[in-house]
Amino acid sequence: MTDPAFWRGKKVFLTGHTGFKGAWASLLLRRFGAEVYGYALPPTHQSALFVAARIADDIKHRIADIRDLSTLRAAMAEAEPDIVIHMAAQALVRPSYEEPVETFATNVMGTVHVLEAARHLRSVRVILNVTSDKCYENNGKGTAFGEGDRLGGDDPYSNSKACAELVTHSYRHSFFNAKGAARVATARAGNVFGGGDWARDRLVPDAMQAFLAGEALRIRNPNSVRPWQHALDPVLGYLSLVERLAGDERFVGGWNFGPDTASEVPVGTVVDRLIALWGDGARWTADPGPHPHEAAYLRLDCAKARSELGWTPRLDLAQGLRLTVDWYKALREGRDLRSFSLDQLDQVAHTA
């Protein structure tokens, strides 16, 4: 799948590097020998992975907003990257109802800004825009979405991610269609978990915060089905896709990265497993609402990534949840989370 040798010495401009999944991507890229230039807002939690693993010590980065086009252009021009990976986003459904303007400005115009900055740099060979599994128009039938299915979304977050896909499609055909132009793809994954995530209204970090505080986890929709996966699985998929893009224009377009069907389970199942792993009186209670609408079923068809990239998840649900709970217990115990996080990364990256 991924080839560490490909990344050695590559210059990677990574937006969203202070976020949960972006921080894991930063660690992995540095482990592979890439030069990482990060661009993002400040981390939002004192124990976020970016802070806890001391990632700032190992990369070049700028704290700034992708909605600021002039600053983004200057930062990208300074970095002169070979590869641009765009992960910065307002990444949550429920906050998108509270801040729809910010959500669309970040997820849609932010994507425009990244692509616009990149298209003026000759150094850029590959651009990957990380969107979401929620970019598909969800008909509620529970069928798995494939890359050719209709894009859409009722809530501002899902809709903004569908828009980001359309923006990327437009830029790819309008500005990156000439011979020798950068190759552009999108990656769709969601419901990731892992150590160092503190986002509100996301199941696993909500559970970890509740258990650390000795409180009951409040659950909105225990029967909702999602494709659960540890963050490192799709991140490894993204890197595998970038490697193929660099060598062959046939890999442009959209790609799904989701777990095996055995990891597509209801919220209640995940919570029960987290409680069993945590112990120490961990518990949950129902939160009847009212709550904004969220899809009851969401599944991805990842046959394309499996057959054309040779990508498969390296962790099943049980393994991913175990790694995650271990990370938060290590935090509680005051362990060195940089070393602990790198050990977890190596476990996953070297899993056959």
Side-chain angles (χ1 to χ4, degrees), residues 248-269:
D248 195 330
E249 65 182 9
R250 294 183 301 112
F251 291 92
V252 302
W255 296 80
N256 287 343
F257 294 95
D260 293 329
T261 55
S263 295
E264 296 170 352
V265 300
V267 165
T269 299

Side-chain angles (χ1 to χ4, degrees), residues 12-339:
V12 181
F13 191 90
L14 175 64
T15 71
H17 70 291
T18 61
F20 162 57
K21 195 156 58 170
W24 279 113
S26 297
L27 278 178
L28 185 61
L29 286 165
R30 287 297 298 135
R31 206 60 157 175
F32 286 172
E35 297 180 25
V36 178
Y37 192 115
Y39 185 101
L41 294 174
T44 57
H45 194 279
Q46 62 184 5
S47 296
L49 178 65
F50 179 79
V51 178
R54 304 190 297 280
I55 293 172
D57 295 345
D58 207 27
I59 67 171
K60 298 177 182 178
H61 75 118
R62 182 177 297 195
I63 298 299
D65 196 323
I66 58 170
R67 292 173 293 182
D68 180 350
L69 177 57
S70 61
T71 300
L72 177 61
R73 275 178 164 164
M76 198 178 294
E78 178 185 331
E80 294 186 308
D82 306 297
I83 296 160
V84 174
I85 302 178
H86 175 38
M87 300 179 75
Q90 193 299 95
L92 299 168
V93 172
R94 283 166 61 85
S96 77
Y97 284 100
E98 301 165 7
E99 297 287 347
V101 174
E102 178 182 348
T103 298
F104 280 104
T106 301
N107 294 353
V108 183
M109 289 309 300
T111 298
V112 172
H113 291 168
V114 170
L115 294 170
E116 182 65 17
R119 79 181 180 96
H120 294 288
L121 294 179
R122 293 184 178 181
S123 64
V124 178
R125 308 312 311 148
V126 173
I127 303 169
L128 178 64
N129 178 20
V130 177
T131 63
S132 170
D133 57 359
K134 296 174 182 63
C135 69
Y136 295 107
E137 185 174 80
N138 197 325
N139 56 19
K141 295 182 178 179
T143 55
F145 294 107
E147 286 87 349
D149 284 333
R150 183 182 177 90
L151 301 174
D154 294 332
D155 62 87
Y157 170 73
S158 301
N159 192 280
S160 72
K161 284 302 189 178
C163 290
E165 286 278 350
L166 294 174
V167 165
T168 308
H169 175 90
S170 175
Y171 263 79
R172 183 169 60 245
H173 287 273
S174 299
F175 304 113
F176 297 103
N177 58 351
K179 184 177 181 180
R183 294 167 181 161
V184 183
T186 60
R188 304 157 183 176
N191 289 93
V192 296
F193 55 82
D197 187 6
W198 301 94
R200 65 187 180 98
D201 295 319
R202 186 177 281 164
L203 178 64
V204 177
D206 281 352
M208 295 299 97
Q209 292 184 78
F211 299 165
L212 283 166
E215 300 171 352
L217 171 65
R218 297 176 65 85
I219 299 297
R220 299 189 299 272
N221 301 303
N223 297 319
S224 294
V225 176
R226 296 288 185 270
W228 308 96
Q229 57 187 334
H230 192 281
L232 281 171
D233 262 330
V235 167
L236 284 162
Y238 304 159
L239 301 193
S240 179
L241 173 56
V242 168
E243 292 169 21
R244 305 311 192 280
L245 270 173
D248 195 330
E249 65 182 9
R250 294 183 301 112
F251 291 92
V252 302
W255 296 80
N256 287 343
F257 294 95
D260 293 329
T261 55
S263 295
E264 296 170 352
V265 300
V267 165
T269 299
V270 174
V271 172
D272 289 341
R273 294 188 182 189
L274 288 171
I275 287 172
L277 288 167
W278 188 269
D280 295 335
R283 63 199 188 282
W284 72 273
T285 186
D287 185 1
H291 301 293
H293 170 76
E294 295 182 74
Y297 293 92
L298 182 57
R299 300 173 57 223
L300 290 179
D301 180 346
C302 302
K304 180 180 174 183
R306 285 165 168 76
S307 64
E308 298 187 33
L309 299 178
W311 174 85
T312 57
R314 301 189 181 200
L315 299 170
D316 60 25
L317 181 59
Q319 292 170 320
L321 292 176
R322 165 63 72 181
L323 287 176
T324 302
V325 170
D326 285 349
W327 194 95
Y328 289 94
K329 285 187 173 182
L331 170 67
R332 183 181 62 178
E333 295 163 3
R335 298 179 63 178
D336 178 358
L337 287 172
R338 176 174 176 82
S339 297

